[in-house]
Amino acid sequence: DPDKKTEVVLLACGSFNPITNMHLRLFELAKDYFHETGKYKVIKGIISPVGDAYKKKGLISANHRVTMAKLATKNSDWVEVDDWESSQSEWLETVKVLRYHHQKLLPPDPSSSLQNATPLTKPGRKRKQEPNRHDPVKKKNQSPDIKSVPQVKLLCGSDMLESFGIPSLWKLEDITEIVENHGLVCISRAGNSVQKFIYESDILWKHKNNIHLVEEWITNDISSTKIRRALRRGQSIRYLVPDVVQAYIEKNNLYSPESEDRNAGVVLAPLQKHARD
């Protein structure tokens, strides 16, 4: 069916320190954009907070950040929080998080060497739990329709895209894999120079068809940094974050001058790692 829509999963990685209404708006803007093209169907949004090993200044514990994100998305019927990335002991490159979520969406493949290597009892046990397990696979082999596996696209603001230009923050091969195999959805303020940034990068230009630029006409300048600043100064953050998040922050007294000094003077994990490499 030529009208079959490509299914898309939107993945947002970041600190979410704390999650704000702006983070939630990014998902809504991206979903509207994809549906308006008529070619895509957004089936899920995933928020993946970074782990504590990222070592960013002012980063409070992943436990709190994941809990706040879960509270913020409790009423959403399509955006969810995944704590796999945040529960890793080491910092993970974003491309590995994309790979993980892509892998999770693949139908179980009976011909994969991994399953052939497992003892026979294991697939048998699994089959009892999942009686229809082989049906989607058969269908997939009959018509190798690439559209049957949802695409995981990295959802970001223009600041993340432009951070590709910061030396040693990203590996070139990671940027390549992200834009080549997955895709980027970048929400940018109307009039922002993201196009120019893509034009100035050979690798982004080469894959520009896989970079979706979404214009944010109702601009929203809320940032986690400004939220933390307001909290340190005892100012209200109401209407900038979901009410449940505000209540959680107050109850646990999360942001203070002390918390902002966490990891002060520590080199960010990706910079440390790439210096080692």
Side-chain angles (χ1 to χ4, degrees):
D1 175 10
D3 299 326
K4 189 152 190 262
K5 292 183 176 155
T6 304
E7 292 187 330
V8 168
V9 172
L10 299 169
L11 172 70
C13 295
S15 300
F16 301 100
N17 185 36
I19 191 165
T20 72
N21 286 343
M22 178 208 62
H23 291 127
L24 302 167
R25 280 293 299 158
L26 294 181
F27 282 94
E28 299 294 323
L29 287 160
K31 188 183 183 192
D32 280 348
Y33 160 86
F34 276 119
H35 289 177
E36 282 161 17
T37 65
K39 297 187 195 121
Y40 298 93
K41 179 175 195 259
V42 175
I43 55 167
K44 188 163 49 171
I46 301 170
I47 290 173
S48 178
V50 77
D52 295 334
Y54 186 54
K55 297 289 186 207
K56 192 176 181 180
K57 186 179 180 295
L59 191 64
I60 66 162
S61 94
N63 215 358
H64 283 311
R65 292 180 290 109
V66 166
T67 303
M68 287 188 284
K70 285 183 173 168
L71 288 168
T73 52
K74 207 171 62 202
N75 297 333
S76 173
D77 56 359
W78 68 284
V79 180
E80 57 188 51
V81 180
D82 189 282
D83 63 2
W84 178 78
E85 177 185 1
S86 67
S87 59
Q88 305 299 308
S89 54
E90 298 259 297
W91 166 75
L92 283 186
E93 287 95 336
T94 300
V95 73
K96 290 183 180 161
V97 185
L98 271 164
R99 274 184 216 150
Y100 167 82
H101 286 288
H102 174 74
Q103 205 61 46
K104 265 177 80 169
L105 292 163
L106 295 175
D109 178 10
S111 66
S112 80
S113 54
L114 190 77
Q115 263 166 327
N116 293 345
T118 49
L120 281 171
T121 51
K122 237 186 181 164
R125 259 212 313 275
K126 243 188 177 146
R127 211 173 283 127
K128 268 189 213 101
Q129 291 163 351
E130 310 170 50
N132 308 332
R133 190 159 158 254
H134 290 296
D135 294 5
V137 177
K138 250 194 236 92
K139 248 182 262 155
K140 187 171 169 268
N141 292 347
Q142 283 158 10
S143 62
D145 177 13
I146 188 130
K147 292 182 177 181
S148 57
V149 174
Q151 297 180 356
V152 184
K153 297 195 180 292
L154 186 62
L155 175 62
C156 63
S158 48
D159 52 345
M160 186 200 254
L161 185 71
E162 289 174 7
S163 79
F164 284 173
I166 299 172
S168 308
L169 191 59
W170 296 82
K171 289 193 281 213
L172 188 61
E173 59 264 37
D174 285 7
I175 296 174
T176 307
E177 188 177 329
I178 290 170
V179 290
E180 207 171 82
N181 299 359
H182 303 283
L184 273 176
V185 192
C186 179
I187 313 285
S188 72
R189 311 230 153 81
N192 190 301
S193 57
V194 179
Q195 274 109 327
K196 183 168 182 277
F197 185 79
I198 292 170
Y199 159 74
E200 286 171 358
S201 155
D202 286 347
I203 190 70
L204 296 181
W205 183 260
K206 183 180 174 196
H207 299 287
K208 65 179 186 296
N209 292 341
N210 219 4
I211 301 174
H212 302 267
L213 296 184
V214 183
E215 297 234 49
E216 178 181 26
W217 292 102
I218 304 178
T219 56
N220 178 343
D221 210 19
I222 305 169
S223 72
S224 299
T225 307
K226 291 175 183 174
I227 299 279
R228 294 197 305 275
R229 185 177 294 138
L231 288 164
R232 287 199 303 278
R233 296 174 183 178
Q235 296 166 341
S236 164
I237 57 164
R238 189 152 192 211
Y239 310 119
L240 300 176
V241 303
D243 288 347
V244 280
V245 171
Q246 183 197 0
Y248 184 85
I249 290 172
E250 282 171 11
K251 182 179 151 222
N252 295 282
N253 196 16
L254 290 187
Y255 295 101
S256 63
E258 293 71 48
S259 73
E260 198 58 25
D261 280 337
R262 280 186 66 170
N263 300 322
V266 180
V267 178
L268 213 54
L271 299 175
Q272 272 187 43
K273 187 168 185 185
H274 301 152
R276 281 202 308 273
D277 299 347

